[in-house]
Every structure is written in C-alpha cells, then in structure tokens.
Amino acid sequence: MKEAIITRIVSNRYTVFFDGEFHIAIAMGKLRLGNKPTVGDRVQVEFTEEKWVIQAVLERKNQLIRPLVSNIDQALIVMSSKEPDFSYTLVDRLIFLISLEFIEPIIVVSKADLASSELISEITAEYKDHGYQLILTGKNLPTQPLEAILNGRLSVLAGQSGVGKSSILNRINEDLELNTQEISKALGRGRHTTRHNQLYPIAGGWLADTPGFSSLDFSSVSAQEMAQTIPDFKPYHGECRYRDCLHLKEPGCKIKEKVESNEISSRRYQHYVDCVALIKEESR
Ligand SMILES: Nc1nc2c(ncn2[C@@H]2O[C@H](COP(=O)(O)OP(=O)(O)OP(=O)(O)O)[C@@H](O)[C@H]2O)c(=O)[nH]1
Ligand SMILES: [Zn+2]
C-alpha cells in the first residue's frame, strides 16, 4: 500500500503521484459511487492484478467546487500594484471568500516594479502588519520568496485577468529551469490549450491549473458565517457580549473596539460591513 496524491482525472483514469513519479490508477468500484475521489485527494493505492488501484481516500481538509480540488493549503491572491490599479476592495473580498472555504489566503503583489515605495508601504501596512503573508513580485525582483511559499503546499491562484499570473509562474520556471511550455499549458494559454483541472508540480509544491474565486459570489454565505470567518476578527473570537454578534451596531462589541484602536484595519472592517449588507440585501 502506498500513499499518493491525485493530480488529474480523465474519465476513470486517475493520475497519481508517489515515490517521485506519476502513475495511472483506477478506483475501486465503491469509491466511484459515493464520495468520488477528486484532484488533490490523498489516497491509498495498491498494485493488484497488474495495475494500481485506489483503495481509499484519506480524510479531506477542504474541497473547492470551482475548480474541483481537495486539500488546498493556500490561495494566492495575485493583485497588481498598477495596470490594473491595486484594489483593496477586491483583495479583501477574495480574503473573505477564501477564508470561508477554510483555505489560507496569501497576498501576492504583482508588477511591484511599477509601484511607488509609498504604495508598497501602504499595502504592507494594510496586510503584513495585520498578520497576512504578503509577497512582492515583479520584473527584476527575486522569485525566491514565492518559491518558498509554494514549496510543499497545494496552491490555487486567484486574481483578475491581466494581473500577471502567468508572468509570475514563467519567471519561477525560468529560475528553476523547468519547461515553460508546461506552465503555459498549466494556465490554459493559447487558443488550442484547454484547462483540465489538473495539478502541476511547481517549486516543490502543487499548483491547480485553473484559477479559483473568479465569480466573487457571496450568495451562499450567511452574515453569521462571515462574522466568524474574517481572519482579522479571529483573535477576538468569543469576546463580544453577544455570541451571535455581527459586529455592526451591537453594544459590547470587541471587534468595533479593536477597529477604533486601530488594531483591526478599519478598511477591512468597512469591507466586511459592505459584504454583510450585500448578503442581507440578497436574502431579502
Ligand atoms: N511591468 C511589469 N509588467 C508585467 C509584470 N508581469 C506581467 N506584466 C504585464 O502584464 C500583462 C498581463 O500579464 P499576464 O501574465 O498575461 O497576466 P494574467 O494574470 O496571466 O492574465 P490572464 O491570463 O488574462 O488571467 C502583460 O502585458 C505583462 O507583460 C511585471 O512584473 N512587471
Ligand atoms: Zn462583535
């Protein structure tokens, strides 16, 4: 019995990776019925009757639907400093959506070569100083910090079109002298390439070929879930007077107290309030 990770599924053929190599496996009949194995699943495989067979799927820590990938460690929010302009609103909404899926958000500022040092300081103060991992990337900047964060983890990308997602990956690839063709394929570049919902090895980790969180959809989220998921609020969990506090106008709210003392970013708090308003409007 071997422990493997599923990196690709085409009909009933599962590509699994273990002992440094890819293998093709099939799944036990019972596995294909109920809780189907997905890309990113950790599985037990056994060599029987001349083929590798997936015997069991290990417990998942999370599962994203679009793309359908399990066990995602982190989502890299790629946001350009310029062209297009850095958007705090968009980054914060992505942070919220990613956290709601029990995935860690990592903020990757791209095109940092185009930014003023004032802008970089402002972004750093807004995120890094509030406990988020922040990585600067861009032309002529070292790729090592990003490689370090990809190493050993399963990542998915998030971010609008044109922010430089493929450029970042290409730079890493050059650095590692890997096959650039593979990466363009990974991001579905070119007219004839299609995304397969597949994991690619990168910098000692895995990257999903399809970016996630593109719909920015809060429609399936409740205000209460939001209130409990914001990473900035987590350290004060349970410290509001009311257990179901939405941190809006309730008396004895610890979160508002921390916003007033600047320990919680007032910008992020406002974005939270906006999202809750949106959710309440939609559920009316
Ligand atoms: N100055 C500068 N320009 C960059 C950098 N990275 C990307 N660009 C430019 O930004 C544009 C978009 O880059 P892409 O890498 O194609 O962006 P993407 O996020 O992959 O875009 P989609 O495939 O549409 O999602 C290109 O014109 C790049 O040349 C950078 O670090 N510095
Ligand atoms: Zn509160």
Side-chain angles (χ1 to χ4, degrees), residues 91 99 154 271:
V91 170
S99 306
L154 199 172
H271 290 157

Side-chain angles (χ1 to χ4, degrees), residues 111 113-114 137-139 160-167 171 189:
K111 310 191 194 183
D113 53 300
L114 302 179
T137 64
K139 272 183 196 147
Q160 306 150 274
S161 176
V163 292
K165 295 185 293 297
S166 11
S167 305
R171 272 197 299 267
R189 269 26 232 341

Side-chain angles (χ1 to χ4, degrees), residues 50-249:
E50 304 296 301
K51 49 184 179 277
W52 287 102
V53 180
I54 298 173
Q55 301 285 351
V57 178
L58 305 184
E59 201 185 328
R60 291 173 184 139
K61 73 169 186 178
N62 57 35
Q63 185 176 64
L64 201 60
I65 302 302
R66 272 184 303 173
L68 183 55
V69 178
S70 301
N71 299 317
I72 299 170
D73 295 308
Q74 56 194 9
L76 308 186
I77 302 174
V78 183
M79 174 59 75
S80 45
S81 62
K82 284 253 180 298
E83 299 175 17
D85 277 347
F86 191 91
S87 164
Y88 292 96
T89 310
L90 188 50
V91 170
D92 288 358
R93 288 194 173 191
L94 285 167
I95 288 176
F96 301 161
L97 287 168
I98 289 162
S99 306
L100 283 160
E101 299 291 345
F102 306 101
I103 296 169
E104 187 186 357
I106 310 276
I107 297 142
V108 177
V109 180
S110 58
K111 310 191 194 183
D113 53 300
L114 302 179
S116 65
S117 54
E118 287 79 16
L119 180 61
I120 296 295
S121 314
E122 195 184 309
I123 295 170
T124 304
E126 185 66 44
Y127 296 105
K128 199 168 184 186
D129 297 354
H130 288 284
Y132 290 94
Q133 296 212 59
L134 178 82
I135 293 175
L136 302 179
T137 64
K139 272 183 196 147
N140 307 322
L141 268 78
T143 55
Q144 194 279 331
L146 189 60
E147 284 164 24
I149 211 139
L150 290 167
N151 190 302
R153 304 201 180 105
L154 199 172
S155 309
V156 61
L157 292 174
Q160 306 150 274
S161 176
V163 292
K165 295 185 293 297
S166 11
S167 305
I168 289 175
L169 300 178
N170 281 326
R171 272 197 299 267
I172 288 187
N173 258 10
E174 278 163 27
D175 216 48
L176 300 176
E177 294 177 0
L178 291 178
N179 182 353
T180 311
Q181 186 62 33
E182 279 297 292
I183 270 297
S184 351
K185 227 161 59 189
L187 281 177
R189 269 26 232 341
R191 265 192 311 144
H192 301 294
T193 46
T194 29
R195 284 175 181 163
H196 290 290
N197 186 26
Q198 182 171 354
L199 300 182
Y200 279 84
I202 186 166
W206 295 103
L207 179 73
D209 69 343
T210 311
F213 305 97
S214 48
S215 67
L216 290 172
D217 180 14
F218 285 91
S219 62
S220 62
V221 183
S222 72
Q224 199 53 241
E225 277 175 289
M226 279 287 289
Q228 284 166 13
T229 314
I230 309 299
D232 306 71
F233 301 173
K234 281 262 166 79
Y236 313 107
H237 187 77
E239 292 185 38
C240 296
R241 184 179 305 165
Y242 302 109
R243 205 140 56 116
D244 59 354
C245 187
L246 289 179
H247 324 307
L248 299 173
K249 295 204 168 78

